[in-house]
Every structure is written in structure tokens, then in C-alpha cells.
Amino acid sequence: MTGSEKDRLTRLCRQFGDIRAVASRRGQLPALEAMLAELRAGGGDIEQLTRDVDELLRRCGIASGLGELRTPGGGMLPRLGPGHPLEEAHVCPVGRCDRVELDGNGMCELFVIPLHLVRW
């Protein structure tokens, strides 16, 4: 296991309550539990698990996945209530494409309007 994978596993463990809550809100709790079932049964590949959870978080709208929750300037993002990280991104202002900008507030070149800021 690489250092990066160990870091991601540490974040998975440390933030599991938050991850479980996000997965539950997005209807992905059964998928998360299925990912953990094999590991809990004494088998499973930890590296694959962290990749799978990372992807699940991205599907749930957490663009950083199991990556560090940091602002572009390097500071930690503020928390919303007990243990819920603030995530934000700029997205298509008309909901027509999958563009996501994590840094800054760009413009939609097709509609010539600012990207829409979403926070969760």
C-alpha cells in the first residue's frame, strides 16, 4: 500500500461517520455497506476499497473524494455542524453540461454568464 493509499484509508476511518451520512443522504448507503462487507468479513483489498469509496463520494457530489478537504489556498475548509465538511464548486449555470470548476468562478463561454456556485 502506498503512502497516498494509507492517507486515504486514514481519512476513510476518521471521517467514516460523515461519509456514511453523505452516502445515506444521496441514497448510496447500500453501496457503501456492500463495499465494506468483504473487508469486514476478513477479506477484501484495502486499496480497491479506498478507490471504490473515493468514486462513491464523487458520485455523491464530494469532488475531492477521499482527498484532503482543503481550499485552493491550502487552508482547511470550515465545517458545517458536527463533522460535516463544506464542499463547493462552480458548475454549469444552466445545468446542460457536467463542467465543474473547484478553483475560482469561471464563465460559461457558451451562454456568456458566470458559472453557478453550489455548496453542500
Side-chain angles (χ1 to χ4, degrees):
M1 180 181 302
T2 67
S4 174
E5 290 295 327
K6 288 180 184 177
D7 291 342
R8 289 163 28 128
L9 182 60
T10 299
R11 283 190 287 278
L12 172 60
C13 183
R14 184 180 309 131
Q15 299 174 357
F16 185 71
D18 295 338
I19 292 167
R20 193 173 197 287
V22 166
S24 179
R25 282 193 306 269
R26 300 294 181 139
Q28 294 293 315
L29 189 55
L32 177 63
E33 291 298 333
M35 290 173 191
L36 295 171
E38 188 176 347
L39 185 70
R40 289 174 175 163
D45 179 347
I46 291 175
E47 290 180 41
Q48 184 63 49
L49 171 69
T50 59
R51 286 191 298 269
D52 291 347
V53 171
D54 197 51
E55 180 57 33
L56 178 132
L57 287 171
R58 288 190 173 102
R59 286 194 314 266
C60 289
I62 306 297
S64 61
L66 285 173
E68 291 191 49
L69 303 173
R70 295 191 176 273
T71 65
M76 292 303 290
L77 289 172
R79 297 222 171 241
L80 297 176
H84 295 286
L86 170 68
E87 292 284 341
E88 67 179 29
H90 292 85
V91 299
C92 178
V94 294
R96 298 272 174 116
C97 75
D98 293 332
R99 181 176 176 191
V100 175
E101 297 289 332
L102 300 178
D103 302 7
N105 50 358
M107 292 287 289
C108 172
E109 300 301 327
L110 297 177
F111 292 93
V112 194
I113 53 178
L115 294 176
H116 177 70
L117 176 64
V118 293
R119 291 184 172 139
W120 61 94

